[in-house]
Amino acid sequence: MSDTTHEEHHDGPHASGMWRWLTTTNHKDIGTLYLVFSLIMFLVGGTMALIIRTELFQPGLQLVDPHFFNQMTTMHALVMIFGALMPAFVGLANWQIPLMVGAPDMALPRMNNWSFWILPPAFLLLLGTLFMPGGAPAGGWTLYPPLILQTGDAFPFVVFSLHMLGASSILGAINIIVTITNMRAPGMGFMKMPLFVWTWLITAYLLIGAMPVLAGAITMLLTDRYFDTSFFLAAGGGDPVMFQHIFWFFGHPEVYILILPAFGIISQVIPTFSRKPLFGYVSMVIATSAIAFLSYVVWAHHMFTVGMPAAGMLFFMITTMFIAVPTGVKIFNWLATMWRGSISFETPMLFAIAFVILFTIGGFSGLMLALVPADIEYHDTYFVVAHFHYVLVPGAIFGVIAGVYYWLPKWTGHMYNETLGKWHFWMSTIFVNILFFPQHFLGLASMPRRIPDYSVQFTEFNMISTVGAFGFGLSQLLFVWMLVKCVKGGEPASTKVWDEPEGLEWTVPSPAPYHTFETAPKV
Amino acid sequence: MKPARAKTGNRRLVLTLGGAVAGMFAFAFLLTPLYEVFCELTGLDSERLTRATQPAGSAVAAEIDENRTVTVEFLTNTMNPAAWEFQPGDLSIEVTPGRTAETVFYAENLLPHNVISVTRPSVRPLEAVSHVSKQVCFCFEEQAFAAGERRELPMRFTIDSELPAHVETVTLAYTLFTAEPGLGGS
């Protein structure tokens, strides 16, 4: 970067207004864009979730027709996964990885600009399908044929938007790997990297392995529909089950893509507020790598009911249960980090502790689902919904929120309002449990997922769940308001922000200047 | 940091990673043939194994086990019930292992024009797959139906005596599709 001309070396952005954001190659600007975009998508996807929960408040059909309900379940998942969670993590990576490894910027800044600006048009296409003849995709986010091939005019738009989203995250992943591999400050060996950087390095490799497979699968769907191929059409000699194999070969690594960076954030937050170094750093790195490796050999546990030989079911059951081992190592390391620490309970720490507890609940219900005989019973019930929402909402999303509170003072130069932060935490945590815990019971009582109507005996738990959903949704508006307030002003944050936190990001002033580490720091 | 060296380092890594992306994209397509090879090697693809007849006069097929019978159930499905009426003649029959059995199916084209049907077979349980051989089956090839035509479709098959003793029921399932691209799902 030292060969840039003098003009480009002034302190702030090179342009102003909209043009600045469109053309920026600054990792902090792009990180901000990603985070704002993901927040908007979080609210969009959340609105869809509230439509679903409102319809499910009572048995019978009240608010929406079943076809629209199915569009909502499908779009809610796609928006939350590809619009809210993945961009949030990439945004955090953009802001933090260069600061944490002592690099002046990402390794490929122009590509970085592209990988963000692919996202808004991709979502225009995806959300636009809601207004097309035949409506948005309604076959579930897993896009199983032959059902998904019955999507109306929206079908090619869905496929194309997913291609764009995939391209965006692949470009982001390449950028992150190159940055981490080549741009670390002198002296920062791989085993000295902060854990957030480590988890992102591994996540980026997962993205490179998994996203192209999704691209291939949806391309095959496209040719099946428009070019007379029969990859998945039984009539032409294809096999619809093969789609499920290919999809979940992408899909299972994908769920670790959604959680590993959160593991990294929690591994930064807990040591800071326990005032102790992270317990078992090396085992954390090994555990993360082990989870990533295992994620490629467990995919068929999503499809135990398609008819598989016993040997196959046993294989996928055992590999799935193996994942509990490295995950358990991580949980125990976090607990050991807190053990006899001098703990203080600022908002990021509260979210981190809730993450450890509630993610573990999601992990345990995952173990229950790994057991073939149990899974055949739980398959496609609300138990599955409860499981993956526990790992994704108080898991991945709480991880993002913890990271945002933790680094927000560094980004904005202002402290957020700690009282409101605690309100946000308690409301989110209480309501998220009211929202998702009853769904375990609904699932165990065999309420099917993705159905707008249900038998009357499920009414009470559904009502409780819907109340929780609205409480959780409204709590997030508090979060948005606090974010706006914190960007606009507030108590100035010191360089270190917290009490002796570890890491290079706490050596630059708050707010972090537009250009940092133009001379590499000494580690 | 020497910028020139860093740049070549970056380029090499980007190219490697880009290659990995292209490789994984190709791998998704490669999964199709790999999946078939895997199914054939492990004997999981009941469709492929039961479509072809086994060589006549093979020792196993000839051996008749008079000591037991196997219940064979027949199941029919169609992806488009508005276009097809498709029923088994017998819901189930008792078969002596090694002895050839016969049954019929009925298919009717409900549409006012000529169509061609394709039928995909399946065998359950999976351990029975390699023990079922069909000598005559409408599932071997496409069938042409005139508008409104109703037809009897004979099927002749043998279950060999090597079928594991604990398998008492074998299900032969058939799904009928209209053999036109894109119609399979509608």
Side-chain angles (χ1 to χ4, degrees):
Chain A
M1 294 304 123
S2 47
D3 58 346
T4 46
T5 58
H6 184 72
E7 280 79 21
E8 286 168 321
H9 261 260
H10 57 71
D11 290 335
H14 64 287
S16 57
M18 193 57 206
W19 194 242
R20 164 192 172 178
W21 296 106
L22 267 173
T23 58
T24 185
T25 55
N26 179 287
H27 74 100
K28 301 184 183 80
D29 279 355
I30 293 173
T32 306
L33 285 171
Y34 265 112
L35 288 166
V36 171
F37 180 80
S38 101
L39 183 64
I40 295 169
M41 285 299 138
F42 180 53
L43 299 176
V44 171
T47 309
M48 293 172 175
L50 290 182
I51 293 172
I52 295 169
R53 281 313 325 166
T54 310
E55 176 58 50
L56 291 173
F57 185 69
Q58 286 183 319
L61 299 174
Q62 288 92 21
L63 182 68
V64 294
D65 67 274
H67 184 57
F68 188 73
F69 182 90
N70 292 342
Q71 294 175 36
M72 286 293 103
T73 54
T74 307
M75 294 291 278
H76 164 71
L78 291 173
V79 167
M80 284 303 201
I81 292 167
F82 293 101
L85 267 175
M86 291 171 71
F89 285 130
V90 181
L92 289 168
N94 258 293
W95 253 102
Q96 290 308 128
I97 286 177
L99 286 179
M100 292 170 110
V101 301
D105 204 310
M106 298 295 277
L108 311 157
R110 289 195 192 90
M111 193 167 98
N112 205 13
N113 173 291
W114 265 97
S115 57
F116 173 75
W117 281 108
I118 292 173
L119 282 181
F123 271 92
L124 276 182
L125 282 183
L126 187 64
L127 295 173
T129 59
L130 282 164
F131 306 100
M132 289 177 188
W141 82 279
T142 50
L143 310 171
Y144 283 179
L147 184 60
I148 200 68
L149 298 174
Q150 296 176 26
T151 307
D153 293 354
F155 184 72
F157 293 89
V158 177
V159 169
F160 191 50
S161 74
L162 285 175
H163 273 142
M164 289 167 78
L165 295 171
S168 161
S169 46
I170 288 168
L171 293 179
I174 290 177
N175 209 344
I176 286 165
I177 293 176
V178 177
T179 306
I180 296 174
T181 312
N182 289 353
M183 306 265 293
R184 280 167 292 128
M188 178 167 285
F190 272 104
M191 291 315 279
K192 280 188 181 167
M193 294 193 312
L195 224 85
F196 178 69
V197 179
W198 253 116
T199 53
W200 241 117
L201 180 64
I202 293 165
T203 304
Y205 275 108
L206 283 182
L207 278 165
I208 284 182
M211 293 308 291
V213 177
L214 173 71
I218 58 179
T219 305
M220 287 184 247
L221 283 179
L222 198 70
T223 59
D224 267 8
R225 166 127 168 197
Y226 294 106
F227 301 104
D228 292 351
T229 58
S230 293
F231 286 105
F232 310 126
L233 296 177
D239 187 347
V241 174
M242 192 179 71
F243 178 84
Q244 300 188 20
H245 282 290
I246 301 176
F247 179 87
W248 286 113
F249 187 85
F250 144 80
H252 205 80
E254 170 69 17
V255 305
Y256 291 102
I257 288 163
L258 298 175
I259 198 66
L260 290 185
F263 285 172
I265 294 165
I266 301 305
S267 305
Q268 303 298 132
V269 170
I270 287 183
T272 298
F273 297 96
S274 304
R275 289 158 186 83
K276 274 175 66 190
L278 183 71
F279 185 90
Y281 173 89
V282 176
S283 67
M284 282 297 216
V285 173
I286 294 172
T288 312
S289 315
I291 293 173
F293 170 75
L294 285 171
S295 76
Y296 279 109
V297 291
V298 298
W299 75 88
H301 69 212
H302 294 270
M303 33 189 293
F304 280 144
T305 56
V306 297
M308 215 183 286
M313 292 200 274
L314 276 174
F315 174 82
F316 288 109
M317 176 169 89
I318 290 165
T319 50
T320 305
M321 293 175 75
F322 265 136
I323 294 181
V325 177
T327 313
V329 167
K330 296 187 85 85
I331 304 273
F332 283 117
N333 279 343
W334 289 322
L335 295 180
T337 307
M338 286 191 271
W339 179 255
R340 300 204 166 170
S342 172
I343 301 179
S344 59
F345 296 96
E346 283 90 343
T347 310
M349 183 61 165
L350 289 173
F351 274 102
I353 293 172
F355 172 97
V356 174
I357 298 167
L358 299 177
F359 177 82
T360 305
I361 293 179
F364 279 135
S365 57
L367 268 178
M368 291 168 74
L369 288 164
L371 300 163
V372 176
D375 179 75
I376 288 170
E377 186 71 24
Y378 303 151
H379 186 84
D380 263 348
T381 69
Y382 259 83
F383 193 78
V384 179
V385 177
H387 156 68
F388 69 73
H389 279 97
Y390 257 89
V391 290
L392 288 179
V393 183
I397 290 179
F398 273 27
V400 173
I401 294 176
V404 167
Y405 278 118
Y406 183 56
W407 286 308
L408 194 60
K410 178 56 66 190
W411 303 336
T412 64
H414 308 296
M415 293 306 286
Y416 59 88
N417 185 326
E418 188 64 49
T419 314
L420 287 181
K422 290 208 163 73
W423 269 95
H424 175 221
F425 166 74
W426 284 109
M427 285 170 64
S428 298
T429 305
I430 292 169
F431 281 121
V432 87
N433 283 292
I434 297 176
L435 165 54
F436 293 119
F437 210 79
Q439 297 185 359
H440 288 113
F441 306 130
L442 288 170
L444 293 176
S446 297
M447 176 170 162
R449 61 191 282 215
R450 294 170 168 164
I451 304 281
D453 188 8
Y454 52 82
S455 310
V456 284
Q457 73 268 29
F458 301 133
T459 310
E460 283 78 10
F461 280 137
N462 270 300
M463 285 182 165
I464 295 170
S465 182
T466 300
V467 170
F470 276 89
F472 184 77
L474 293 177
S475 323
Q476 305 321 307
L477 296 182
L478 180 64
F479 182 46
V480 176
W481 185 53
M482 286 174 60
L483 289 176
V484 173
K485 267 185 58 170
C486 184
V487 170
K488 286 197 167 160
E491 195 189 314
S494 66
T495 297
K496 287 197 164 173
V497 182
W498 312 108
D499 190 14
E500 298 301 323
E502 273 209 40
L504 286 175
E505 76 262 44
W506 311 110
T507 63
V508 302
S510 304
Y514 198 63
H515 296 289
T516 40
F517 295 131
E518 292 183 296
T519 327
K522 284 246 152 41
V523 181
Chain B
M1 269 264 239
K2 293 193 180 65
R5 229 187 63 204
K7 276 226 162 109
T8 36
N10 286 359
R11 185 166 304 140
R12 192 175 308 139
L13 191 52
V14 169
L15 287 177
T16 314
L17 295 170
V21 169
M24 288 310 290
F25 184 72
F27 178 69
F29 285 86
L30 204 63
L31 277 172
T32 315
L34 283 180
Y35 181 80
E36 290 191 8
V37 169
F38 180 81
C39 286
E40 262 166 62
L41 286 180
T42 54
L44 299 180
D45 189 350
S46 58
E47 179 193 315
R48 191 165 318 283
L49 286 165
T50 49
R51 199 183 300 165
T53 50
Q54 285 180 353
S58 91
V60 177
E63 204 175 293
I64 297 171
D65 183 356
E66 297 284 4
N67 297 324
R68 63 164 174 161
T69 60
V70 178
T71 308
V72 180
E73 298 177 334
F74 302 101
L75 184 66
T76 57
N77 287 296
T78 171
M79 291 296 281
N80 191 348
W84 291 101
E85 171 82 32
F86 181 39
Q87 298 293 341
D90 303 297
L91 287 177
S92 73
I93 57 176
E94 295 294 312
V95 173
T96 307
R99 190 161 282 165
T100 301
E102 264 192 58
T103 184
V104 288
F105 289 74
Y106 298 98
E108 184 178 353
N109 169 22
L110 303 176
L111 298 177
H113 54 81
N114 300 350
V115 283
I116 290 174
S117 77
V118 185
T119 313
R120 297 294 167 204
S122 175
V123 178
R124 289 293 182 276
L126 289 170
E127 31 185 351
V129 168
S130 53
H131 302 284
V132 178
S133 64
K134 296 174 185 170
Q135 288 82 45
V136 176
C137 185
F138 52 93
C139 54
F140 291 161
E141 56 240 348
E142 298 179 344
Q143 307 277 332
F145 283 80
E149 182 186 348
R150 181 179 174 84
R151 181 129 43 91
E152 199 178 279
L153 303 165
M155 210 260 290
R156 195 183 310 144
F157 65 97
T158 316
I159 292 185
D160 71 44
S161 52
E162 301 273 285
L163 182 76
H166 64 271
V167 179
E168 292 170 351
T169 306
V170 174
T171 305
L172 304 184
Y174 298 90
T175 307
L176 188 144
F177 299 88
T178 307
E180 275 171 70
L183 279 184
S186 58

